Amino acid sequence: MLGIWRDFLVAVATALRRPNEQALAEERRRAIERLADETIRASRRTVDPSE
């Protein structure tokens, strides 16, 4: 009986700790956009140097 309660509590703790998958996907998308913007800016600096 103790094993059942232990498994139950582990499952509850895991469910509460699990990050929001939608929020993680959104953060990954924003990180990729920032990286793309930085890469484009760096590329433009090497192609079109400032005066």
Side-chain angles (χ1 to χ4, degrees):
M1 186 71 179
L2 183 60
I4 294 171
W5 280 107
R6 181 186 48 121
D7 293 343
F8 173 74
L9 291 175
V10 168
V12 169
T14 302
L16 293 175
R17 285 189 327 195
R18 187 174 15 172
N20 183 349
E21 296 297 325
Q22 182 65 27
L24 286 175
E26 187 66 24
E27 181 59 31
R28 274 188 235 116
R29 184 189 62 77
R30 284 192 299 265
I32 290 170
E33 286 179 353
R34 284 191 304 264
L35 178 61
D37 289 343
E38 289 173 13
T39 303
I40 290 170
R41 266 189 239 114
S43 176
R44 286 182 180 159
R45 269 184 263 145
T46 58
V47 173
D48 298 329
S50 300
E51 296 179 81

